[in-house]
Amino acid sequence: MPLASLRPSPLVEQATSHLREQIASGEWPVGTRLPGENALAKTLGVGRSTVREALRALAGAGLVRARQGSGVFVIAAEPAEDWPVRLRRAAIADVYEVRMMVETQAARLAARRRTDEDVTAIEAALEARARAAAGDDAAFVDADIALHAAVVAAAGNPVLTDLFAEFAPALRERLVDLVELLRLRDHDREPGHESHAALVRAVRDGDGDTAASVLEAELRQTFAHLRQ
């Protein structure tokens, strides 16, 4: 597909789109050296600065890479998926399995490192979860995730906190569906209250082994539902 001059509008976006089409269509297969900035600018009818910005956008998407002294080369035909997108596309059982590994160890760390402020936040989150039992399934799942997030935050590791935040949107959507599909709250509006209360007590008391084991048992129960 030959390149054509661009119409006035956001030129960087247009240039990026045109170059992406050349790559996706196979016109420029993986390994191809792209034409130079001057040639691209002339063909597209834009300035070199616009071409540079478009190439930066393609590099950010994982499609091209500049090689010092050699030029810009195609390294992939499709954009690399970012982590949140990949999580949303992944099977929920796979996401949950990773969650169990990460969150169980986070609970163990939380029991060792929690501050008074952390304990206050976790206890408040447990109370909020209990109040949310009177609401709909989505509100209850939100409150449940907020409690787990508070425990992870108490571990005092910002990487763990950020990792859980990446999991949360994918987890929330699937968990709401699970609760509704299996009607898990028909007979118990606050499922898992005792285990969550035990988790909070263990973190508060500094008992890392109990915190980890209680949480693992709770998560495994949900994991079993997901695999049905």
Side-chain angles (χ1 to χ4, degrees):
M1 174 172 43
L3 289 171
S5 296
L6 302 180
R7 302 181 304 277
S9 98
L11 292 181
V12 171
E13 287 84 348
Q14 283 193 63
T16 302
S17 177
H18 277 63
L19 298 179
R20 190 192 298 262
E21 287 174 7
Q22 294 294 108
I23 294 171
S25 69
E27 189 74 20
W28 293 336
V30 173
T32 299
R33 180 182 182 275
L34 269 59
E37 287 183 3
N38 287 332
L40 289 174
K42 182 177 180 180
T43 302
L44 295 171
V46 298
R48 290 178 59 188
S49 62
T50 298
V51 171
R52 289 193 201 102
E53 289 298 322
L55 292 176
R56 287 193 190 99
L58 293 178
L63 294 175
V64 302
R65 178 180 297 154
R67 298 177 186 169
Q68 187 68 32
S70 299
V72 178
F73 292 80
V74 178
I75 61 171
E78 296 181 355
E81 285 186 332
D82 61 18
W83 186 236
V85 170
R86 187 171 183 180
L87 283 173
R88 287 194 295 272
R89 289 166 57 91
I92 184 58
D94 292 339
V95 175
Y96 212 86
E97 194 169 45
V98 175
R99 177 196 181 184
M100 286 194 300
M101 291 185 286
V102 170
E103 207 175 331
T104 299
Q105 294 308 311
R108 191 185 303 277
L109 289 175
R112 296 174 184 168
R113 299 175 177 175
R114 83 284 182 272
T115 64
D116 291 343
E117 290 77 11
D118 291 327
V119 171
T120 298
I122 293 170
E123 290 177 339
L126 180 64
E127 293 173 1
R129 185 181 187 274
R131 290 194 300 272
D136 60 19
D137 291 339
F140 182 75
V141 169
D142 285 340
D144 181 75
I145 290 175
L147 172 57
H148 286 266
V151 172
V152 172
N157 185 320
V159 176
L160 277 175
T161 301
D162 290 345
L163 186 58
F164 185 84
E166 294 284 0
F167 283 141
L171 287 171
R172 179 193 184 278
E173 180 180 351
R174 311 292 182 81
L175 288 175
V176 171
D177 290 343
L178 177 70
V179 171
E180 293 177 349
L181 178 64
L182 299 183
R183 306 180 70 174
L184 295 179
R185 300 177 64 229
D186 279 7
H187 303 294
D188 181 0
R189 298 296 294 171
E190 191 184 355
H193 171 73
E194 291 302 325
S195 59
H196 284 78
L199 169 64
V200 171
R201 286 194 301 272
V203 172
R204 182 193 62 206
D205 296 342
D207 187 346
D209 289 341
T210 297
S213 63
V214 166
L215 181 56
E216 182 178 12
E218 172 66 25
L219 294 178
R220 284 196 178 281
Q221 186 176 29
T222 304
F223 186 60
H225 287 305
L226 290 171
R227 292 180 64 88
Q228 288 178 356

